[in-house]
Amino acid sequence: MSADATIRDAATQVRLSRRTLFGAAAGVGLAATLAGCGGDDATGSGTGKPLVVHVNDTGSWQRNFNPYAVTQNTGTIGLFYEPLLFFNKLKPNDITPWLATKYSWSEDGKTLRMTIRKDVKWSDGKPLTVDDVVFTYQSMIDTPALNRGGVELSGVKADGDEVVFTFPSTSFTKLWNLAGQIGIVPKHLLSGKKLDTFTNPNPVGTGPFTLSSFSSQVYQVKANPKYWKGKPAVPLVKFPAYTANAVQTGLQTGEIDWASAFVPDLKKIYERNDPEHNKHYFPSEGLNALMVNTAKAPFDSLEVRQAVSLAVDRDRIVKSAERGYVEPAHPSGLPMPADADWVPAKYQDAKFTVDTAKARQLLSKAGYGSKKLKFELLVPSPYTDFVNAAQLMKEDLAKVGIDMTVRGVAIQDWVAKVGKGDFDVTLRGAVAGPTPFYLYRVMLASALTKPIGQQATGNYGRWKDKHTDELLAAYEGTNDEAKQQAAVQGLATVMIEQLPVIPLFGSPSWSLYRTTKYTGWPSEQNPYAMPSPATSPDMAQVLLHLKPVK
């Protein structure tokens, strides 16, 4: 996955990446829009200057700030609604207390106690209470559709200034999903709302920013003067609804201060305009893969999945469609050599190769010798690098006799179709968590998927495998690192030998940033958060770290 993403999947923060291919300029209209959208605090009230941020290419915004919703706008969690803990995925085991000051597990891992921070206020001035935290999670228990991370909770209750969570089984590994991915909401405002459909147009949170103005073309947030860590230095952040082409002009002219965008020729198009200030940082964030629909033919066939994988030239895709910014995926889907310990020794040096003869043999074995195999690859049209990669794969597959049709659709249509299993194959990214377990969980766990026609919250390929679920359960059921490592190695073996999804290439956290207004951006030297503005709640962490240029 790459670039920006508005739509996130709480299961493991799967982002719908959007990359922007620089093409014909079309940013003039947007620039005019920005100039006229001053809002109620256009000059800013903090110590710094307003920031203009690109997060995706949807072209328009829907006023949805419901932190339980799949289609929530970027920043809903982080800017407005904060989690209990912040997890830095660039530094394993780097956990920062946030709305919770501390936590402790029972010895059996079935009870979690979290102490809630005092002296925190909602942006309407009301105090944050343990009842708000209980309400947030009780709503997920009462309405399972809100529990997009699939966290199995038996109960939640207040005990003084603590919140006590109980689980039906050992749940040490659920801390990230539970405390790092869910925004705490105000009971006094949301109680009685139908939270699975409520769009929450006027968010009131504890976070560092409040909604300043909204239109379908741009929304703005301003620094929260009541914020418990003190008013942020960034006074105002603008989120224009860029189209793919408009981002080109925005980056070239310096209109955009921070972007989650794929740029084909970074130095020529972006950095050379102002090499002193135009910077980038692209750390690995996950995996881009062909998500095949294993709930139906032909991808219920291992031979078909293997044939497709053998026909695809990943080196060509990486070089041409991704411009060399990423590496071809390891067959396990994990970044190597960084995650070598999580892969069985016999597979650590494995790599994908193109073998058209073997692919044809497998197709024949699967019943596609004389019969032509046809299917459709669904891609989001604005993600131009995905579209280019799809066209390259179409050429590769034609060489082994596969007729693949590439169908580009709007982002929202793509989200809906993939969620309900209305596709043959799609190209999609999955964001990793604190360990490789979380990447495998979101892609393979039966608990996250649904039958075709129903909305899944993960495992969009509908992979159902008892052994896979047992390995996931083995990891979740222990806090022993050696046992967890063994379980993940088993999952890596499933990925390599069964190809429930077909890994393609790594997924960076795209971040283009300018140091003309602020310093303190995440970097290789200081990786305190994922740098892409499309990642929540990390975007809020970045904004809180920025310091105005004097």
Side-chain angles (χ1 to χ4, degrees):
M1 162 163 50
S2 56
D4 51 61
T6 296
I7 305 153
R8 53 192 298 283
D9 178 347
T12 65
Q13 203 181 29
V14 171
R15 298 181 319 153
L16 305 187
S17 61
R18 106 180 358 180
R19 274 56 71 77
T20 301
L21 180 64
F22 279 3
V28 176
L30 180 59
T33 301
L34 284 173
C37 68
D40 60 357
D41 198 6
T43 59
S45 55
T47 58
K49 297 179 180 178
L51 282 178
V52 177
V53 180
H54 158 268
V55 291
N56 64 40
D57 307 333
T58 55
S60 65
W61 296 118
Q62 301 294 318
R63 191 163 183 159
N64 188 336
F65 297 101
N66 181 348
Y68 294 110
V70 173
T71 52
Q72 65 187 255
N73 284 316
T74 298
T76 298
I77 295 179
L79 299 182
F80 308 138
Y81 300 105
E82 298 181 291
L84 296 173
L85 303 171
F86 173 71
F87 291 73
N88 181 3
K89 290 183 291 180
L90 293 173
K91 286 186 174 180
N93 300 318
D94 183 356
I95 304 173
T96 302
W98 213 247
L99 291 185
T101 57
K102 60 182 180 180
Y103 66 91
S104 62
W105 285 98
S106 63
E107 191 169 338
D108 64 0
K110 294 183 179 180
T111 302
L112 172 66
R113 304 182 73 91
M114 305 199 78
T115 302
I116 306 306
R117 187 178 298 278
K118 298 178 181 176
D119 301 324
V120 175
K121 292 184 177 180
W122 300 99
S123 58
D124 64 0
K126 303 286 186 182
L128 169 75
T129 69
V130 292
D131 287 343
D132 292 313
V133 181
V134 171
F135 171 77
T136 298
Y137 291 95
Q138 187 62 51
S139 297
M140 293 165 49
I141 296 173
D142 296 340
T143 308
L146 305 181
N147 187 8
R148 292 181 294 113
V151 178
E152 294 179 334
L153 258 179
S154 300
V156 57
K157 66 178 182 180
D159 184 8
D161 61 353
E162 292 185 327
V163 172
V164 182
F165 300 92
T166 53
F167 305 86
S169 59
T170 302
S171 297
F172 296 115
T173 60
K174 293 171 183 167
L175 186 65
W176 181 57
N177 292 104
L178 183 86
Q181 296 293 288
I182 295 169
I184 304 304
V185 300
K187 178 181 178 181
H188 68 282
L189 294 175
L190 297 188
S191 179
K193 303 290 186 185
K194 191 171 175 53
L195 294 177
D196 54 342
T197 57
F198 182 51
T199 59
N200 194 30
N202 299 299
V204 173
T206 61
F209 292 87
T210 62
L211 185 64
S212 173
S213 66
F214 184 92
S215 76
S216 62
Q217 290 303 300
V218 58
Y219 67 90
Q220 302 183 156
V221 300
K222 64 180 180 180
N224 178 3
K226 301 183 179 70
Y227 189 50
W228 57 276
K229 286 178 69 70
K231 189 175 182 179
V234 180
L236 189 76
V237 185
K238 303 177 181 180
F239 296 95
Y242 284 102
T243 62
N245 287 336
V247 177
Q248 175 184 7
T249 300
L251 285 170
Q252 288 177 323
T253 63
E255 170 190 296
I256 299 174
D257 299 300
W258 187 19
S260 179
F262 170 81
V263 180
D265 192 335
L266 196 64
K267 290 185 178 179
K268 179 179 179 180
I269 296 175
Y270 174 63
E271 292 186 335
R272 78 173 184 181
N273 293 334
D274 187 354
E276 181 182 354
H277 299 107
N278 291 0
K279 307 293 183 181
H280 75 276
Y281 178 38
F282 298 160
S284 176
E285 191 175 19
L287 173 70
N288 283 312
L290 284 176
M291 304 287 181
V292 294
N293 195 331
T294 62
K296 64 179 185 178
F299 292 106
D300 57 348
S301 163
L302 173 61
E303 287 80 10
V304 169
R305 300 194 297 271
Q306 290 173 324
V308 169
S309 182
L310 285 167
V312 171
D313 186 344
R314 293 167 176 80
D315 290 335
R316 188 168 73 123
I317 292 172
V318 164
K319 182 178 180 180
S320 180
E322 298 297 328
R323 302 300 179 110
Y325 296 145
V326 297
E327 296 289 335
H330 184 270
S332 67
L334 302 181
M336 298 291 283
D339 283 349
D341 289 345
W342 299 93
V343 177
K346 65 178 181 179
Y347 288 127
Q348 288 180 3
D349 294 328
K351 60 186 299 184
F352 287 115
T353 57
V354 177
D355 189 335
T356 55
K358 182 71 177 297
R360 287 183 179 277
Q361 291 175 7
L362 289 165
L363 288 173
S364 180
K365 184 178 178 181
Y368 295 98
S370 56
K371 183 175 68 173
K372 199 174 189 66
L373 174 59
K374 299 181 180 181
F375 58 82
E376 181 181 88
L377 172 60
L378 191 71
V379 293
S381 295
Y383 300 180
T384 50
D385 58 333
F386 275 14
V387 173
N388 290 339
Q391 293 298 335
L392 293 175
M393 286 188 283
K394 177 181 175 66
E395 295 173 4
D396 291 339
L397 295 176
K399 295 174 184 174
V400 298
I402 296 175
D403 182 4
M404 184 181 79
T405 302
V406 178
R407 182 185 177 193
V409 296
I411 292 175
Q412 294 293 346
D413 192 20
W414 178 55
V415 171
K417 290 181 181 301
V418 172
K420 293 188 176 181
D422 183 16
F423 67 98
D424 297 327
V425 188
T426 188
L427 174 49
R428 184 184 168 103
V431 175
T435 75
F437 161 80
Y438 297 91
L439 180 67
Y440 287 143
R441 179 177 183 269
V442 73
M443 294 193 300
L444 307 178
S446 294
L448 299 178
T449 197
K450 294 286 185 183
I452 291 176
Q454 297 181 28
Q455 179 69 46
T457 57
N459 187 6
Y460 299 108
R462 272 72 183 167
W463 177 250
K464 285 287 192 73
D465 177 62
K466 181 181 178 182
H467 180 53
T468 300
D469 288 337
E470 288 173 346
L471 290 167
L472 292 168
Y475 183 101
E476 291 178 318
T478 181
N479 211 23
D480 184 302
E481 291 185 6
K483 292 179 180 177
Q484 290 183 334
Q485 190 177 64
V488 171
Q489 289 187 354
L491 293 165
T493 300
V494 170
M495 280 287 289
I496 294 168
E497 297 181 353
Q498 298 297 315
L499 281 171
V501 301
I502 301 175
L504 293 177
F505 49 87
S507 174
S509 175
W510 303 101
S511 176
L512 307 174
Y513 61 95
R514 290 166 49 78
T515 59
T516 51
K517 297 177 181 175
Y518 293 92
T519 60
W521 301 91
S523 64
E524 190 172 358
Q525 295 73 35
N526 187 19
Y528 60 82
M530 278 294 173
S532 168
T535 303
S536 295
D538 298 53
M539 176 170 61
Q541 292 289 323
V542 175
L543 291 172
L544 289 171
H545 275 75
L546 297 184
K547 298 183 183 305
V549 173
K550 301 297 184 182

